Amino acid sequence: AFDISENDRSLIATSALNSKIANVRGIAAEYLADSYPERLWIHFDQLIADDSQRVRGVAWNAALRVDRATTIERATEFLGNESVAVAHRRSALIALGTALPTTQMVEMLAYFVVHLNPELAADAADLMYKHHRHPVAATAARHSPHDNVREIAERLLDPQHGSPAAGGSRPGDPTRSTTDIFEDMIRQLETKQSNQNDAPGR
């Protein structure tokens, strides 16, 4: 609106990354992520340690587009460092969990669903439930020290209403074993007989 060139806009946005106001840093990070993600990459270490979750999330997502392999390696090291603030590690976990395929996330999620920190464990369980249903992660979650994580695992592994992708099963699932199907038939027959015996006049 004021004839500011694209180059000047990028310089202003880059400068704004150092603002004391989180909302300003967030706007600047989002602008650069859309237009000049390489500039965010230059300030990557600063941004993933920012106090703002918004800034951290934008930085991780932009970095995955600029240099995916290096960013995944950095995030893995970051997550494995227990001295890093939990909030910062959560941003890295969520960024990876929403960008990577299940095959690359299974071991990481299996590790974090049993993590002693309830926030990291909950994030891992949420990612598992929404994006990465897999037997290894779900089985690990069943042994989590946190009730909410175990509840998610039991929901996925429930033999009647669970998720086949996570190792659970449900009627009609073609991946179920013949034994499962046979047990269901017996259960249905027993229920039918019980209903008949309880009917009036019997």
Side-chain angles (χ1 to χ4, degrees), residues 70-112:
T70 301
T71 302
I72 293 171
E73 183 179 345
R74 290 286 302 281
T76 302
E77 295 173 357
F78 201 74
L79 286 165
N81 187 347
E82 294 290 339
S83 67
V84 174
V86 168
H88 299 174
R89 296 168 77 199
R90 292 180 68 191
S91 295
L93 179 62
I94 292 169
L96 290 186
T98 53
L100 301 188
T102 299
T103 52
Q104 290 184 259
M105 286 300 301
V106 170
E107 291 186 8
M108 185 176 295
L109 293 180
Y111 174 82
F112 278 105

Side-chain angles (χ1 to χ4, degrees), residues 45-191:
D45 289 333
Q46 168 193 336
L47 298 173
I48 59 175
D50 196 279
D51 291 337
S52 167
Q53 189 279 330
R54 176 185 181 184
V55 173
R56 296 194 303 269
V58 171
W60 280 112
N61 291 332
L64 284 166
R65 299 201 312 271
V66 173
D67 190 337
R68 190 177 182 87
T70 301
T71 302
I72 293 171
E73 183 179 345
R74 290 286 302 281
T76 302
E77 295 173 357
F78 201 74
L79 286 165
N81 187 347
E82 294 290 339
S83 67
V84 174
V86 168
H88 299 174
R89 296 168 77 199
R90 292 180 68 191
S91 295
L93 179 62
I94 292 169
L96 290 186
T98 53
L100 301 188
T102 299
T103 52
Q104 290 184 259
M105 286 300 301
V106 170
E107 291 186 8
M108 185 176 295
L109 293 180
Y111 174 82
F112 278 105
V113 290
V114 296
H115 199 279
L116 292 179
N117 183 273
E119 293 176 314
L120 284 168
D123 285 341
D126 187 57
L127 288 166
M128 175 186 68
Y129 187 80
K130 292 179 178 177
H131 305 289
H132 305 291
R133 298 186 175 189
H134 191 282
V136 170
T139 302
R142 181 177 260 173
H143 303 287
S144 173
H146 311 289
D147 291 342
N148 57 331
V149 175
R150 293 198 301 274
E151 287 174 6
I152 291 174
E154 294 303 332
R155 197 181 313 159
L156 292 175
L157 293 169
D158 184 274
Q160 287 295 303
H161 308 287
S163 168
S169 192
R170 56 176 175 240
D173 170 23
T175 66
R176 302 174 76 211
S177 68
T178 304
T179 303
D180 289 338
I181 296 172
F182 183 66
E183 289 176 350
D184 277 350
M185 290 174 63
I186 293 175
R187 191 180 298 110
Q188 291 170 11
L189 285 172
E190 289 175 345
T191 301

